[in-house]
Amino acid sequence: MTQHDPRTVYLKDYTPPAYLVDEVRLTFRLAPHATRVLSEIRFRPNPEAASRDFFLHGEGLKLISAQLDGAKVEPELVEGGLRLDAPDAPFTFAAEVEIDPENNTALEGLYRSSGMYCTQCEAEGFRKITYYPDRPDVMAPFHVRIESDAPVLLSNGNPGERGEGFAEWSDPWPKPAYLFALVAGDLVAHSDSFTTMSGREVALKLWVREADIGKCAFGMEALKKSMRWDEETYGREYDLDVFNIVAVDDFNMGAMENKGLNIFNSSAVLASPETATDADFERIEAIIAHEYFHNWTGNRVTCRDWFQLCLKEGLTVFRDQQFTGDMRSHAVKRIDDAMLLRAAQFREDNGPLAHPVRPESFVEINNFYTVTVYEKGAEIVGMLKRLVGDEGYRKALDLYFERHDGQAVTIEDWLKVFEEATGRDLGQFARWYHQAGTPRVHVAEDWSEGRYTLTLRQETPPTPGQSDKQPMVIPVAVGLLNPNGDEVVPTRVLELTEKEQSFAFEGLAARPVPSILRGFSAPVILRQVQTDETRAFLLAHDTDPFNKWEAGRDLARAGLLAMIEKGDGPDAGYIDALGRAVADESLDPAFRARLLALPGEDELAQAIFEAGQTPDPTAIFEAREALRHAIADRLGDVLARLYDTHQVTGPYSPEAGDAGRRALTNAALSLLSLTQGGDRARAQYREADNMTQQIAALGVLVKLGEGAAELKAFEDQWRHERLVMNKWFGLQVGAAKPEAAAGIAEELTRHPDFDWKNPNRFRAVFGALAGNTAGFHDASGAGYRLLADWLLKLDPLNPQTTARMTQAFSTWKRYDEGRKRLIRGELERIFETQGLSRDTSEMVGRMLAD
Ligand code: ZN
C-alpha cells in the first residue's frame, strides 16, 4: 500500500536545496491562542542546485504579511508551504505568521504543556512555527527574541540581552531547523557548572516546575559524567557557554537534542529515590548521555536528509551504550541491549513493518524513529568497530568530525571515513544499511584428528519489498573450550562474508566445545544444534559473560518450547544448572538477575511461528508460569538465601552495585512468592523506603491477586506524582491475568486521573496492555477492540503517538485464523476511518499490505 501512496518520499529523488540560508532572525510574541512569529531569513542561491524554485515549508500557519528585501510580496500559498519568484542572488525574506500553541495537541511545533510554552521540531515540526526550508541540509545560525511575561525565556545557543518581558538568544553554530527550540514558562533551575578540557566554564541548568526541584540532582550528575566521558573517549568538547535542559510533561518521545537546549519528557529526567526505580535511574543516565552526545553526532555533524537518520541515531545510541557500559557493567549492558534488540527489533524485522536501517522511502518520517534505525543502527556501528579494531575506529571517528564538522552528510560519507582511515573496503558491509531482515547463521561442526572445522552458512528471509537477499559481512566472535572447561582458543573474530564458509582450528588435543557469537558480535539469529548438556556446560564454564548468559537462555527456551509443543514437564536439568549459576557468589548479582529472566512470550511466539506452527498465546503464558513455579519449587532454598543475603542496607543509592543486588533479590522474591505466598512481598512493601523496592513488592502482590490494599495505599500515597501514577496505571494492566487484562485497562480509562491526552499516561495503560502478550491476544478480542477504539480516539489529536502504538498489532499474521480475523477487522476499521492521520494510515496500511 505504501508503494502506491502518492505522498511517498523517495531517497532516490533527493535534490540539493535551491537556496541556502546565511542567517535567521526570529521574534516570538507569545500568546496562548495567537502567537506571532516574525522571521527574517537571509537566503543565497545554492551553487550546487539545479533549480531556482523558491519553496518554503509551512503547515497550519496564518500568514499575516511577507516581504522580500523590504518590499511587500504576496507568496503563492500551496499545499505544505509557499512559493515565490525569488532572485538569482542573495536576498532577505521576512514574514509574520500567527499560530495557536494552546490548541496544538500533536505536540509538534510550538505547544503548551502544563502552562508552559515549548517546542518539538524534529523531524518536520519547524514548518508549524514559520515558513522555512525545513530540511536538515539547510543549516544556519539563529538569533531569537522572545517576548512574553513568563519569567523564564529560553532558546538555543548563548544568552543575549534580556529585560522586562523579553529575552534574546544567539546560536553561533549553523544548525538545521529541526534543532530549534524555545521554552517559556514559570520554571526554576537546578544549577551547576562544568569546566571543559580546554578550561572553558559552562553553566548547566536543569529547568523544572517548582514541585520537581528535588528530582534534578541525578540528571545533573549524569550530564556532567557525559560531558567528561565524551572528552575522554572521543575527544569531543562542549561548544557553548550554557547547556540547558527542560523537563516537560507532555512529550511524544523520550527527549530531544536541540542545540544547547535539550527538551526532555519529564519521565526521562526527573528522579528521586522515592519516586524512581533503579531502571528509571539507569534509563535517565543513558538518555541524558544520548542527548548530550548528539551535540557532536547529530548537531555539529548532521544528516543530509531524513533517510540518513541512522547516521546520527545509530551512532549516538552506540555511544550511549558504551557510556552505560563504562559507568556500570559492560557484560550486563550487552545482555540488556541484546534482549531489547531481540524483543523489539527482531520482532520488527520479522513482520510487515520491516525496513532497512536506511529506508528508501517513507510517507511520514515520524514512523521511522524505530528500533531498527536506532538499535540495529547502533549494532552496525559496533560491528564496524569490531572489524576495524579500537584504533581504527578512533581514527575513523576523528576523521569524521574533522572532515564533516558543520556539514549535513550521508551514510556513504560515514563509511568513506572508515575506508580512508583504515584502508578497508566496506562495499559489502554497506548492505547492513540497505538490506532489511535479520540474518540467520547456521552452524555445522566437524572434528577429525586434531582439526576442528566450523562451517557457517547465512541466509536472510525476505522482507516487504526485498525478496532477494545478498550475503552480509558478519563478524562472528568465537572461542573454544576444552571438555574440562578450560578455554583452548580465546575469542577471535571470524568474518563471514560468503553465503557459506568454513573456518578451521588446528592442533587441538580434544574435540572442543564452541562458544559462538560471543558478546553478541552481530545482530543475527544463531541456528545451532546443541544438546542440553552442552548448554549446561557453557552456562557453567564459558568465559564470555554474554554467552554464559546465552547458554542459560537457550536452555530455558528449549525447555519452554518442549513444554508448549510436546507437553513436556519443566526440565529439571535446566533448573539445577540455573540454581548452580545463580548461587555462584563470584558472579555479579546484576548478571545473576538476568539469568533468572525467562525468554519473553513474544519471543517464544515468534520461535514457534518460525518452526512452522501456530503459537497459542495462552499455552505460552501457561508454560512460562509452570516453569516459574517449578523453578521456585526446586530452588526454594537457593532463592530464599539469595533474597536474605543480598538485601541492600543503608541509604538508597542508584549505583550499579546496589541496583544489581536489588534486581537479584526482587527476581528471587517474584519466584519465591509463587510457592511461598505474599508475606515477604507484603513486608517488603511495608518497609520500602525507595520506589524500586516498593513497586517490585506491589507487582508481586498484584500478580498473586493479593494486592488490593497495597494498590489503594499506593494510589493514596502518590496521587499527586504524575510519573509515579503512570507506574500505578501500568502495573495493574501488565500484571493482570490474561483474561482480565483488557477489562482492567478499560476500567482504568474511566479513572478520573486517566488523562489520555498525556502520552505517558496513554502509554502507561495501553503500552502495558500490548505488553501483556497473552492478555492482549486473549481470544475474545477484547484487547484488540479496546486498543483500536482508543487509537481512533487519539489519532485526530496526536497522530505520532497513535501511529507508534499501532505496532501492537504488527505480529498478527503469526496467529490462528480466529485471532487473525479479529485483528484484521480492527486494522481495517482503523484504516477506513475518515480523516485518519497520514502517520497512522501509513502504519496500518503497511501492516495490512504485506
Ligand atoms: Zn537520538
Side-chain angles (χ1 to χ4, degrees):
M1 248 166 241
T2 37
Q3 298 313 312
H4 309 290
D5 194 310
R7 301 166 295 188
T8 306
V9 184
Y10 295 92
L11 169 60
K12 65 174 165 48
D13 292 344
Y14 173 83
T15 53
Y19 290 84
L20 299 175
V21 175
D22 284 329
E23 194 186 48
V24 182
R25 290 184 177 277
L26 300 172
T27 299
F28 288 82
R29 304 206 168 117
L30 295 176
H33 284 288
T35 287
R36 288 286 171 104
V37 185
L38 288 72
S39 60
E40 248 182 68
I41 310 166
R42 278 196 2 234
F43 286 98
R44 125 179 94 85
N46 180 5
E48 311 279 296
S51 103
R52 285 288 167 260
D53 177 22
F54 183 72
F55 172 77
L56 301 181
H57 296 99
E59 261 172 42
L61 308 172
K62 188 159 131 199
L63 181 61
I64 307 295
S65 64
Q67 285 137 36
L68 204 153
D69 283 334
K72 194 169 168 17
V73 286
E74 302 267 347
E76 179 195 357
L77 298 185
V78 296
E79 171 79 21
L82 65 73
R83 283 217 143 72
L84 194 62
D85 279 331
D88 194 3
F91 63 92
T92 297
F93 174 83
E96 178 165 356
V97 304
E98 190 176 294
I99 52 180
D100 181 355
E102 188 69 45
N103 279 321
N104 180 351
T105 57
L107 315 182
E108 198 185 46
L110 178 67
Y111 65 95
R112 303 248 291 167
S113 173
S114 313
M116 69 195 259
Y117 293 87
C118 59
T119 56
Q120 173 51 45
C121 293
E122 186 177 8
E124 300 181 331
F126 191 75
R127 63 191 63 183
K128 295 178 163 182
I129 292 176
T130 193
Y131 289 100
Y132 196 75
D134 187 8
R135 40 186 293 169
D137 55 356
V138 174
M139 300 172 81
F142 279 59
H143 306 279
V144 175
R145 178 184 167 89
I146 310 167
E147 298 176 5
S148 161
D149 53 19
V152 175
L153 307 174
L154 306 171
S155 190
N156 314 91
N158 292 321
E161 227 185 291
R162 72 159 304 161
E164 190 62 29
F166 81 95
E168 295 181 354
W169 290 83
S170 278
D171 183 0
W173 300 102
K175 68 166 176 290
Y178 83 85
L179 292 171
F180 168 82
L182 174 153
V183 168
D186 192 357
L187 299 167
V188 293
H190 177 106
S191 303
D192 208 324
S193 71
F194 181 84
T195 310
T196 70
M197 60 187 185
S198 71
R200 278 191 313 99
E201 276 295 290
V202 182
L204 310 177
K205 290 200 160 65
L206 176 38
W207 297 93
V208 297
R209 289 189 285 150
E210 192 155 22
D212 291 324
I213 194 70
K215 303 193 192 86
C216 298
F218 180 81
M220 182 57 80
E221 287 311 306
L223 174 61
K224 289 189 290 179
K225 284 185 199 163
S226 308
M227 295 178 86
R228 190 61 74 212
W229 186 91
D230 212 16
E231 293 182 343
E232 287 168 355
T233 315
Y234 282 83
R236 297 294 115 199
E237 190 176 2
Y238 187 60
D239 54 6
L240 291 166
D241 302 337
V242 299
F243 190 82
N244 286 310
I245 294 178
V246 181
V248 308
D249 286 330
D250 301 279
F251 203 74
N252 285 326
M253 308 280 276
M256 180 61 212
E257 70 263 25
N258 317 298
K259 183 80 187 190
L261 178 52
N262 287 1
I263 297 182
F264 272 62
N265 186 322
S266 52
S267 75
V269 57
L270 300 181
S272 71
E274 296 73 32
T275 59
T277 62
D278 291 332
D280 294 330
F281 279 101
E282 180 172 337
R283 174 169 173 266
I284 287 168
E285 185 177 77
I287 297 181
I288 295 254
H290 179 97
E291 306 310 333
Y292 175 73
F293 296 159
H294 267 314
N295 191 56
W296 275 94
T297 52
N299 302 3
R300 289 286 286 262
V301 183
T302 195
C303 303
R304 186 193 71 173
D305 55 70
W306 292 117
F307 295 102
Q308 321 296 329
L309 183 58
C310 64
L311 178 82
K312 73 176 178 81
E313 296 304 347
L315 175 55
T316 305
V317 170
F318 179 71
R319 277 151 51 69
D320 82 53
Q321 292 173 346
Q322 287 182 298
F323 170 78
T324 299
D326 281 354
M327 296 298 123
R328 292 163 182 260
S329 149
H330 284 282
V332 172
K333 178 60 176 159
R334 194 66 194 128
I335 291 168
D336 288 348
D337 288 339
M339 281 200 275
L340 170 67
L341 197 81
R342 286 174 177 161
Q345 201 279 323
F346 286 9
R347 169 186 156 117
E348 187 161 84
D349 249 354
N350 283 317
L353 300 176
H355 56 275
V357 171
R358 184 174 68 183
E360 247 121 63
S361 69
F362 60 76
V363 173
E364 170 53 62
I365 185 57
N366 283 330
N367 289 332
F368 285 83
Y369 287 77
T370 61
V371 272
T372 295
V373 170
Y374 275 64
E375 312 298 325
K376 188 175 177 182
E379 291 298 320
I380 298 178
V381 177
M383 283 190 287
L384 266 174
K385 182 161 179 283
R386 215 162 278 121
L387 290 171
V388 304
D390 292 354
E391 234 176 88
Y393 178 77
R394 180 63 200 261
K395 262 171 75 186
L397 268 286
D398 285 347
L399 181 58
Y400 179 65
F401 293 124
E402 181 194 310
R403 179 180 291 174
H404 295 301
D405 187 12
Q407 296 180 358
V409 303
T410 62
I411 287 302
E412 284 71 21
D413 296 319
W414 159 254
L415 288 174
K416 201 156 193 290
V417 299
F418 276 82
E419 292 191 322
E420 288 185 23
T422 68
R424 207 189 149 100
D425 178 350
L426 294 171
Q428 186 186 353
F429 185 84
R431 282 179 194 154
W432 279 109
Y433 286 102
H434 49 250
Q435 188 164 288
T438 308
R440 274 62 169 170
V441 175
H442 301 260
V443 179
E445 293 175 77
D446 184 65
W447 167 251
S448 67
E449 292 163 47
R451 181 190 169 95
Y452 175 76
T453 309
L454 267 181
T455 300
L456 304 178
R457 179 171 58 82
Q458 58 166 308
E459 97 194 288
T460 303
T463 53
Q466 282 187 349
S467 45
D468 188 24
K469 304 286 185 177
Q470 305 297 309
M472 312 290 271
V473 181
I474 303 178
V476 182
V478 172
L480 301 179
L481 304 184
N482 250 348
N484 71 0
D486 293 342
E487 188 165 79
V488 274
V489 175
T491 307
R492 78 167 65 147
V493 177
L494 311 178
E495 289 185 23
L496 175 62
T497 58
E498 315 277 319
K499 183 144 184 45
E500 185 173 308
Q501 229 170 314
S502 293
F503 304 87
F505 300 82
E506 311 277 352
L508 299 170
R511 183 184 177 126
V513 178
S515 164
I516 306 178
L517 206 68
R518 283 185 155 182
F520 197 52
S521 61
V524 302
I525 295 173
L526 197 62
R527 293 257 183 264
Q528 188 178 10
V529 181
Q530 236 178 8
T531 63
D532 283 353
E533 288 68 40
T534 304
R535 292 180 179 128
F537 171 87
L538 288 170
L539 173 56
H541 297 295
D542 205 324
T543 53
D544 179 72
F546 182 84
N547 269 8
K548 188 182 179 73
W549 169 81
E550 181 83 317
R553 189 84 165 181
D554 285 343
L555 266 180
R557 191 184 305 105
L560 283 164
L561 291 175
M563 291 170 77
I564 297 161
E565 289 168 353
K566 301 193 221 131
D568 284 9
D571 173 7
Y574 159 64
I575 298 174
D576 291 342
L578 178 68
R580 285 189 294 274
V582 295
D584 181 348
E585 288 301 326
S586 72
L587 299 173
D588 177 6
F591 176 83
R592 287 185 272 161
R594 270 52 173 195
L595 281 177
L596 285 170
L598 297 179
E601 293 165 61
D602 194 71
E603 180 184 328
L604 293 166
Q606 177 63 23
I608 292 166
F609 178 69
E610 274 196 64
Q613 277 138 41
T614 304
D616 172 354
T618 311
I620 294 172
F621 174 82
E622 283 168 358
R624 279 181 96 257
E625 289 305 298
L627 182 56
R628 284 168 51 75
H629 265 94
I631 293 172
D633 234 0
R634 208 170 162 96
L635 299 183
D637 293 346
V638 176
L639 294 169
R641 193 156 10 92
L642 286 177
Y643 185 77
D644 292 337
T645 58
H646 288 75
Q647 290 299 329
V648 178
T649 51
Y652 175 89
S653 154
E655 60 84 38
D658 283 3
R661 292 161 74 101
R662 281 187 291 268
L664 182 58
T665 55
N666 284 327
L669 174 67
S670 128
L671 287 163
L672 278 172
S673 68
L674 294 172
T675 47
Q676 303 182 6
D679 289 350
R680 270 193 199 82
R682 245 183 308 277
Q684 177 170 319
Y685 186 88
R686 233 181 299 115
E687 286 154 28
D689 66 353
N690 63 76
M691 183 49 66
T692 307
Q693 295 297 87
Q694 189 179 14
I695 199 94
L698 181 63
V700 166
L701 292 171
V702 171
K703 264 219 153 83
L704 290 177
E706 299 177 15
E710 285 78 7
L711 271 176
K712 181 77 184 67
F714 191 96
E715 184 187 8
D716 290 342
Q717 182 183 356
W718 295 116
R719 181 184 306 277
H720 301 294
E721 291 280 352
R722 284 231 245 176
L723 296 174
V724 179
M725 284 304 282
N726 290 335
K727 299 181 194 300
W728 181 84
F729 275 91
L731 183 143
Q732 295 177 70
V733 182
K737 301 252 180 306
E739 63 281 5
I744 291 175
E746 220 255 305
E747 202 178 301
L748 286 171
T749 63
R750 288 193 294 265
H751 189 285
D753 292 333
F754 182 64
D755 173 8
W756 59 276
K757 296 175 191 173
N758 175 259
N760 291 352
R761 189 57 51 88
F762 191 93
R763 275 191 290 260
V765 171
F766 293 108
L769 179 60
N772 185 331
T773 308
F776 181 60
H777 289 286
D778 184 71
S780 67
Y784 305 149
R785 200 158 48 242
L786 182 70
L787 179 62
D789 284 346
W790 279 90
L791 291 175
L792 281 171
K793 185 162 165 170
L794 186 63
D795 189 60
L797 275 72
N798 187 336
Q800 204 175 316
T801 287
T802 307
R804 184 163 286 271
M805 296 201 63
T806 61
Q807 292 183 61
F809 293 116
S810 72
T811 53
W812 68 284
K813 293 236 171 111
R814 284 180 193 157
Y815 294 101
D816 54 278
E817 288 311 317
R819 287 184 173 85
K820 268 200 254 192
R821 190 168 20 79
L822 289 168
I823 302 181
R824 174 179 266 284
E826 298 303 338
L827 286 172
E828 283 169 349
R829 175 160 74 99
I830 296 172
F831 195 66
E832 282 153 20
T833 298
Q834 282 298 311
L836 193 68
S837 70
R838 178 174 62 198
D839 308 55
T840 303
S841 96
E842 178 182 28
M843 293 295 277
V844 174
R846 283 160 69 200
M847 284 189 270
L848 284 170
D850 143 72

